[in-house]
Amino acid sequence: MRISIIIPVYQAHDTIGECIGSVVRQTLADWQLILVDDGSTDGSACICDRLAATDPRITVVHQPNLGRSAARAEGVRHARGEWVCFVDADDTLPPDSLSRLCRAATDDVDIVLGNGYTLPGEPRQRIAMDEFRHLAVRGEGTIGVPWGAFYRRSVLTDALFDLPRDIYNGEDYIFWLRLVFATQKPVNVVSEKVYLKGEEHTSNTFVWTASYAQRLDHYRLQAIPASQRDAFLPDILSDRIANLFDVAVCSPRSEWAHSAFMQALRHDMARAGRSFTLRQRLFLAIPSLRLRKKVSA
């Protein structure tokens, strides 16, 4: 068996059936599907058990509610395939997704990035890891989300998923940073659409704060070897500034303008010889939270 598909399932009663169906309908049939029921109470677990009884390729793992990262890690422990693919319970796969990704899963890579059309520049079939790391730190395209990609199972260690339970927005980005610094091999890219995203919930409802952004930055820096952090500082700053604007449309200015997160960001921007653009300065100077939300919409 070459592919293990892992789906964390939590309160997904309305979507998990179609999600599983999109796996069953794949043109490539040699796969293992691991459904990790993360303590669902809405009947999702029953749907998983019922569908698993109809297909020997489907395995269900039940665990207490520990969060998506823990559910994915548990799925990897049960994986038998050489390659692992993550799917969210409210998303689906086009029928040829696995076959397209599988064709790109060559012996000399550990990562196959799907949906490569989201990356900047001309489409490429392969990216050297030195360059790909910079793209990953900036969070370009679909780098930074676990879905729509293949990972060699041997590189998916528990350490990649080890985060506190309350880090649940941006945790996928930290997973990717840890991953790209755990291998030297280039990345193969599939430019076609291999993943269909359902309605987003976490990022649409999450309320950013300066303290959360600071904690996320802590894990970002930990993921990058200390000897390489200066080389990646411009990329780090790009994502931290994006986090600042997330904070600015969620929190009153008084809570972030003089925060430790803002002070550290300004210090590192000065160290890198970087400053906010005029447009950014004007936006950050808007005193009204409601107006900032309106301008950013």
Side-chain angles (χ1 to χ4, degrees):
M1 181 177 302
R2 202 172 184 211
I3 304 165
S4 292
I5 305 145
I6 297 169
I7 304 178
V9 181
Y10 179 69
Q11 309 298 64
H13 179 277
D14 295 337
T15 60
I16 188 58
E18 180 58 27
C19 179
I20 295 171
S22 74
V23 176
V24 173
R25 293 189 293 270
Q26 288 295 300
T27 55
L28 188 152
D30 183 22
W31 43 258
Q32 170 198 24
L33 174 58
I34 305 165
L35 305 170
V36 184
D37 165 39
D38 191 36
S40 296
T41 60
D42 68 342
S44 299
C46 294
I47 296 174
C48 292
D49 289 335
R50 185 175 72 249
L51 293 176
T54 68
D55 193 323
R57 298 172 296 179
I58 303 176
T59 299
V60 183
V61 178
H62 298 282
Q63 68 175 29
N65 180 232
L66 300 174
R68 284 184 304 184
S69 290
R72 290 181 183 130
E74 184 63 21
V76 171
R77 296 182 194 110
H78 290 264
R80 301 194 305 272
E82 179 185 2
W83 293 91
V84 168
C85 174
F86 296 110
V87 179
D88 286 349
D90 51 357
D91 302 337
T92 56
L93 299 177
D96 60 350
S97 288
L98 296 184
S99 60
R100 286 183 182 275
L101 289 165
C102 203
R103 284 195 292 270
T106 54
D107 292 339
D108 57 344
V109 301
D110 289 330
I111 302 170
V112 177
L113 179 73
N115 297 322
Y117 66 91
T118 66
L119 295 179
E122 292 297 317
R124 288 181 287 172
Q125 293 183 327
R126 175 168 290 199
I127 302 175
M129 181 51 74
D130 286 345
E131 178 185 355
F132 191 82
R133 285 173 177 159
H134 288 278
L135 297 175
V137 175
R138 290 199 300 272
E140 296 282 3
T142 51
I143 308 174
V145 293
W147 40 261
F150 267 15
Y151 311 95
R152 192 176 297 278
R153 179 164 59 91
S154 60
V155 302
L156 295 181
T157 63
D158 283 351
L160 300 184
F161 303 93
D162 184 19
L163 279 170
R165 170 69 182 277
D166 61 343
I167 298 293
Y168 62 93
N169 192 47
E171 84 281 11
D172 297 336
Y173 170 71
I174 303 301
F175 160 83
W176 265 99
L177 291 192
R178 291 170 173 175
L179 175 67
V180 298
F181 286 99
T183 178
Q184 299 291 332
K185 296 180 180 178
V187 175
N188 281 349
V189 180
V190 174
S191 294
E192 296 84 0
K193 180 176 287 190
V194 296
Y195 197 90
L196 300 176
K197 196 79 184 78
E199 183 179 353
E200 185 57 61
H201 299 288
T202 302
S203 62
N204 289 341
T205 59
F206 185 78
V207 177
W208 280 86
T209 65
S211 60
Y212 189 92
Q214 186 177 22
R215 290 186 66 202
L216 195 66
D217 187 53
H218 167 75
Y219 290 109
R220 181 202 335 266
L221 291 177
Q222 281 192 333
I224 302 171
S227 61
Q228 300 184 47
R229 287 174 192 165
D230 282 349
F232 286 92
L233 183 58
D235 308 302
I236 294 171
L237 288 173
S238 293
D239 198 67
R240 285 167 69 187
I241 291 171
N243 291 159
L244 171 63
F245 282 85
D246 289 331
V247 172
V249 297
C250 290
S251 305
R253 194 172 188 277
S254 60
E255 294 184 6
W256 52 263
H258 303 289
S259 65
F261 172 72
M262 185 66 150
Q263 291 175 11
L265 175 59
R266 287 187 180 280
H267 174 270
D268 286 342
M269 289 177 67
R271 190 160 62 90
R274 182 168 177 175
S275 58
F276 291 119
T277 65
L278 176 60
R279 184 174 181 178
Q280 289 171 337
R281 291 199 303 271
L282 291 173
F283 177 81
L284 293 173
I286 296 173
S288 166
L289 174 58
R290 176 182 294 183
L291 185 55
R292 287 197 300 275
K293 287 183 177 181
K294 185 175 181 179
V295 170
S296 66

